[in-house]
Amino acid sequence: MKIFQAYHFLQLVIFLSLTAATSVAAQKYAKPGCKDTCGNNLVIPYPFGIGENCSVNKWYTVECNASKPYLSALNHLEVVGVDLVNQTVTVNIMQKISDCSRTESVDLGSTPFLYSRSQNKFVVQGCGHAVMMDDHGSVLAGCSSICSNDATTVTDRNKCFGIGCCEATITHYIKSYNMNLTGLESLGGDGPCGFAHLVDKNYSYVEGSSSSYVKTSLLWTLSDHDFDQKRCDYTEDRLSVDLGNGTSISSWKCSYPYGPMLGNPYVEDGLELGM
């Protein structure tokens, strides 16, 4: 009898395992007939898509080149990740400014993207102060740091509190910005000035890095025309995106029914609501 019970218990375990595996495999992230991964299993979910016919519009088209995804219509920026909950795409972008002058960012003016207020932070590495401004000269963020004898490098993103490094949040979503570093000196006196950049708050930054690229998150927006092409799998929201000075733009968003979960709410039957 015990052998019989053990046999049926083993059958049940195998059945449940196969059911779970099938459910995970059935999760949909891309449009039907489109690939949803590039390179080392980086998921590219709709409204983005690998290839022209797989995205909501040209701005969301991803080119998978040498196992790396790029936004082909947006300065060929490398995609690091897509966040469906916060409606952001994180990209590698050349914004590590260090020429000691007023320098402009990549302009997102004609695109559906904005620099994310909630997912990025303004980071300054060096001794002195730096300011981030919009195109009209209004201050978006700024901070100051001091130097001590042992402040020669910054290695811990969680200790950027004014000794050789400082950080600040930006006031609203923006299409472009300028940086003024005229009051900033480099750590240890190894260069004419320090560094400043807008960086995704979930990624680290190290002073003196040989790369000029940093990971920055962009809010992506969907217009009425975009949304007419595809309805949400569960529920839809209309967001008001603050641009400062009392102005805003609207964007559609597909939401998860019970908070963050697996699957894609922008794809029909993209969520496993029964799990």
Side-chain angles (χ1 to χ4, degrees), residues 7-184:
Y7 172 74
H8 280 276
F9 176 75
L10 180 61
Q11 282 186 318
L12 178 61
V13 170
I14 293 174
F15 171 77
L16 292 175
S17 299
L18 290 175
T19 301
T22 302
S23 177
V24 171
Q27 290 160 7
K28 301 176 183 178
Y29 288 95
K31 285 177 63 175
C34 298
K35 288 182 58 179
D36 62 3
T37 58
C38 177
N40 190 21
N41 294 323
L42 179 63
V43 176
I44 306 296
Y46 191 84
F48 295 86
I50 301 174
E52 292 183 3
N53 298 322
C54 293
S55 61
V56 68
N57 62 47
K58 68 172 185 176
W59 296 107
Y60 292 79
T61 300
V62 173
E63 175 186 339
C64 191
N65 186 2
S67 298
K68 288 187 177 182
Y70 298 90
L71 290 173
S72 55
L74 185 58
N75 289 17
H76 212 63
L77 296 178
E78 181 186 355
V79 176
V80 178
V82 179
D83 186 335
L84 294 173
V85 175
N86 292 305
Q87 200 165 326
T88 57
V89 54
T90 303
V91 295
N92 269 332
I93 193 167
M94 185 178 287
Q95 288 185 336
K96 192 169 184 179
I97 313 298
S98 60
D99 64 354
C100 307
S101 65
R102 182 186 174 101
T103 309
E104 297 181 354
S105 69
V106 173
D107 190 354
L108 304 175
S110 61
T111 79
F113 304 105
L114 300 101
Y115 292 104
S116 174
R117 177 190 63 81
S118 60
Q119 296 303 113
N120 293 316
K121 60 177 66 174
F122 174 60
V123 177
V124 175
Q125 295 165 265
C127 314
H129 60 271
V131 177
M132 180 177 172
M133 299 170 292
D134 63 18
D135 294 336
H136 305 291
S138 299
V139 174
L140 298 168
C143 65
S144 300
S145 64
I146 61 175
C147 283
S148 62
N149 293 335
D150 58 350
T152 57
T153 185
V154 177
T155 58
D156 190 343
R157 65 185 174 128
N158 296 314
K159 295 181 180 179
C160 194
F161 297 128
I163 305 298
C165 179
C166 64
E167 63 185 45
T169 57
I170 60 176
T171 56
H172 52 263
Y173 294 90
I174 50 177
K175 286 286 190 177
S176 62
Y177 60 86
N178 301 296
M179 288 186 182
N180 190 323
L181 311 183
T182 55
L184 190 66

